[in-house]
Amino acid sequence: MVEAPQTEEGWFALHDFRSIDWDAWRDAPERERKRAIEEGKDFLKHRELVADAGEGDSGLFSVLGHKADLLFVHFRPALDDLSSIERRFENTALAKFTEQTTSYVSVTEVSGYVSDEYFEDPESVDAGLKRYIEGKLTPEIPDDEYVCFYPMSKRRGEEYNWYDLSFEDRADLMADHGEVGKEYAGKIKQVIASSVGLDDHEWGVTLFGSDPTDIKDIVYEMRFDPASSRYGEFGDFYIGRRFPPADLGAYLAGETVPTGDGDAVDAEGGHGHAHGEGSHHGQGGDGHGHGEGRDHAGSGGGSAHGDHPHGEGEASGEGDHPHGGEEGAGGEGGDDPSDADIRGELADLDIYAGKPSGEDVYATVLYSEADVDELFDEVEGLRGNFDHYGTHVKTAVYEGRVTDRAAVVSIWDTASAAETAAGFLSELPEVVARAGEESGFGTMGMFYTVKPEHQGDFTDTFDDVGEILAEMDGHVETDLMLNVEDENDMFIASQWHAKEDAMAFFGSDEFRETVQWGREVLADRPRHVFLA
């Protein structure tokens, strides 16, 4: 019997091709189309952020030609993960406007053709080959790339039968075949996944490239190689272009995508996010926000104002806020009417809370009672995923000095990204609602970067201010929270029974004196943000 090469499997892959029922789409009421777009974007953003598994990757592509309109590509550690993804999509409002024209199931693999040594003694393999193999088993989907997918098998004809060849002959043919591919290094990224026993052909081949003619050229040249010319059999070819979930509405409207306006985790999408006004994790009275400058905690929204640095005024959440009580995301101010109200009130106190051009960001803050080191490890893993998205500004863990909880702060360029991020962050260990929540006013986050030589002075002064706050009517709790990675980066989290109580503090001499003193020791202007 001819020897079969050893194999090792990695992530499972699903290529899900969908066509749009354009007649139904045109005839649908505007509200149904809007809902379909929003649910479709949300589903796809969560897939790109791998909210359904600890590892993997996903991508959305437009497809040219009659065979499909959209392609969803998903890589996940388990086949069951892909099954769940497929079924979850069917529960979205977008699904009713689509039909699955075809699909392909496979699993990434490496075989003895790559390295016998890897299977015989993995520890002896050099680091470079290990990285190459890991890349084949756990592939990433490039951003803004063209994609070509096709299934293929090896011929079993009377004259040419791949499976009758010896291992050595097959290995030689594969080596020669690989030499053609090396000529396209840096131009083409390929993912070859086995579908033996999983789908109709034996492999699914996915090629990614920034220039579609490179895809044409590599396939053309390989056709002349004996591994293909004698032994290759191919199914249908599909060509498409990746675009972010944020551009789903633009795609359905017939615009060219990617538009360049969407962030990659959209971020809207997928690029992920949290916020707005008390995002689905909402803060209720407890939210905490931020406004930090991009150069530091990244939150940009806050601004400087006259004598009083004050940030974007995100308005307050009332006690009956739909998200009240649950500790979660808070967002920064857009054009919400309550946002305008609070800005006006601050202006009456001679405190500027404007919205400077170029500093609009959105933030999510959650509190956790988990061990701060354990929490940081969890956040660091999520942050690695968030960093794939252009809309991600910063995610950090802050440790309280007075309270026993830590704060996780995630800052994004878009509200939708912040909202999506809130969904992932809510799964962190021991996320809690604020104990004894009675506040009718969302907490305020004030972000500071302190000059290192004044770090001790700043915390000492905060302790003095904290004593004053403790005696103020309506004050519940205030804590100075420090970034566990940079003790000079901090924010103040305060809680009040009512908005009026907080506004009274902002109008006090104590507040003005503190701000004036702070300007002398801060490396950057403080930025304050109110969260609903």
Side-chain angles (χ1 to χ4, degrees):
M1 179 177 173
V2 175
E3 177 186 358
Q6 298 181 74
T7 63
E8 180 173 330
E9 289 68 40
W11 287 345
F12 288 86
L14 172 64
H15 290 67
D16 185 352
F17 292 90
R18 301 273 170 167
S19 64
I20 306 293
D21 184 340
W22 294 107
D23 289 337
W25 181 255
R26 284 188 292 268
D27 293 341
E30 180 63 26
R31 65 180 182 279
E32 288 187 20
R33 286 185 288 173
K34 183 175 180 180
R35 179 186 171 199
I37 291 171
E38 291 305 314
E39 290 190 12
K41 285 167 57 176
D42 187 63
F43 170 84
L44 294 164
K45 286 187 290 185
H46 279 71
R47 301 297 76 74
E48 289 196 1
L49 283 171
V50 195
D52 44 53
E55 297 179 293
D57 204 358
S58 290
L60 168 64
F61 300 83
S62 61
V63 178
L64 282 74
H66 72 285
K67 288 176 282 188
D69 293 307
L70 295 173
L71 165 62
F72 309 148
V73 178
H74 306 290
F75 296 114
R76 292 294 186 276
L79 203 57
D80 289 346
D81 296 332
L82 299 179
S83 175
S84 177
I85 288 173
E86 199 169 24
R87 285 177 281 113
R88 284 184 184 182
F89 177 74
E90 295 299 341
N91 288 324
T92 68
L94 178 62
K96 80 175 211 174
F97 294 103
T98 73
E99 179 183 352
Q100 190 177 45
T101 57
T102 190
S103 63
Y104 206 83
V105 179
S106 55
V107 61
T108 60
E109 70 172 8
V110 293
S111 70
Y113 298 131
V114 174
S115 170
D116 281 332
E117 183 184 9
Y118 176 77
F119 291 93
E120 294 168 3
D121 184 10
E123 297 305 316
S124 67
V125 175
D126 67 69
L129 181 57
K130 281 185 178 178
R131 285 195 298 272
Y132 171 74
I133 289 172
E134 288 172 0
K136 289 177 70 68
L137 295 177
T138 58
E140 292 185 358
I141 301 173
D143 289 332
D144 296 336
E145 295 285 312
Y146 288 92
V147 65
C148 172
F149 173 79
Y150 59 93
M152 65 165 292
S153 297
K154 291 299 187 182
R155 186 166 295 136
R156 289 180 289 179
E158 294 182 7
E159 182 177 3
Y160 296 113
N161 186 335
W162 178 261
Y163 298 97
D164 278 343
L165 298 176
S166 67
F167 175 80
E168 290 75 17
D169 288 342
R170 281 180 276 120
D172 288 342
L173 286 166
M174 292 302 296
D176 291 341
H177 198 63
E179 290 301 313
V180 178
K182 288 179 182 178
E183 297 175 10
Y184 290 85
K187 296 181 179 180
I188 297 293
K189 178 178 180 180
Q190 64 177 8
V191 177
I192 300 176
S194 174
S195 50
V196 175
L198 301 178
D199 219 312
D200 295 341
H201 287 73
E202 294 168 349
W203 289 277
V205 180
T206 311
L207 305 176
F208 300 99
S210 59
D211 185 341
T213 61
D214 288 332
I215 293 175
K216 178 195 77 72
D217 289 344
I218 189 173
V219 174
Y220 178 68
E221 288 191 39
M222 285 187 166
R223 286 294 174 92
F224 290 88
D225 185 81
S228 291
S229 63
R230 293 180 185 174
Y231 299 102
E233 294 183 332
F234 303 91
D236 289 341
F237 280 68
Y238 296 82
I239 186 74
R241 176 76 186 271
R242 188 172 189 185
F243 69 96
D247 287 349
L248 182 61
Y251 169 82
L252 291 167
E255 298 177 22
T256 299
V257 292
T259 61
D261 298 328
D263 336 6
V265 208
D266 173 78
E268 220 188 5
H271 309 206
H273 320 248
H275 282 57
E277 222 239 295
S279 91
H280 58 285
H281 273 103
Q283 302 250 238
D286 213 324
H288 275 46
H290 348 43
E292 210 144 61
R294 220 23 96 78
D295 45 335
H296 94 265
S299 186
S303 68
H305 13 320
D307 291 282
H308 301 302
H310 235 71
E312 258 254 345
E314 170 89 278
S316 59
E318 300 301 333
D320 59 352
H321 190 285
H323 301 301
E326 180 181 0
E327 186 72 354
E332 286 204 53
D335 297 317
D336 188 275
S338 55
D339 190 28
D341 291 345
I342 197 169
R343 286 189 201 161
E345 292 182 49
L346 288 170
D348 291 340
L349 294 171
D350 195 26
I351 298 172
Y352 176 65
K355 189 171 168 188
S357 175
E359 288 195 22
D360 298 340
V361 295
Y362 300 82
T364 289
V365 180
L366 298 95
Y367 293 89
S368 171
E369 291 181 346
D371 176 80
V372 71
D373 292 330
E374 174 191 353
L375 183 65
F376 179 79
D377 289 342
E378 295 282 344
V379 170
E380 194 168 29
L382 283 173
R383 187 164 62 184
N385 288 333
F386 292 167
D387 284 341
H388 285 104
Y389 305 110
T391 50
H392 182 229
V393 176
K394 177 176 180 175
T395 296
V397 176
Y398 291 77
E399 186 172 18
R401 295 173 67 247
V402 176
T403 59
D404 292 330
R405 59 178 167 263
V408 179
V409 177
S410 191
I411 300 163
W412 299 80
D413 283 335
T414 66
S416 57
E419 289 167 2
T420 302
F424 303 122
L425 295 171
S426 68
E427 302 302 320
L428 290 169
E430 299 186 51
V431 171
V432 297
R434 184 176 293 278
E437 173 64 43
E438 300 177 63
S439 173
F441 185 65
T443 53
M444 178 185 68
M446 296 175 279
F447 286 79
Y448 301 88
T449 297
V450 180
K451 297 175 183 176
E453 64 270 24
H454 292 298
Q455 204 272 346
D457 296 336
F458 188 87
T459 54
D460 289 344
T461 298
F462 166 79
D463 291 337
D464 293 339
V465 173
E467 292 178 5
I468 297 172
L469 286 170
E471 297 174 359
M472 293 196 70
D473 291 339
H475 177 257
V476 177
E477 182 180 75
T478 292
D479 194 5
L480 179 66
M481 309 196 81
L482 279 62
N483 187 331
V484 299
E485 296 172 276
D486 179 5
E487 65 177 6
N488 299 311
D489 172 18
M490 57 192 76
F491 80 94
I492 296 174
S494 294
Q495 169 140 6
W496 305 84
H497 287 305
K499 181 177 72 173
E500 292 72 23
D501 299 320
M503 299 304 290
F505 172 65
F506 296 137
S508 69
D509 291 338
E510 290 85 355
F511 175 77
R512 294 176 184 276
E513 291 170 5
T514 300
V515 169
Q516 182 60 40
W517 175 84
R519 293 174 64 193
E520 299 172 5
V521 302
L522 297 180
D524 190 14
R525 61 188 180 180
R527 291 163 168 92
H528 308 177
V529 176
F530 299 93
L531 301 177

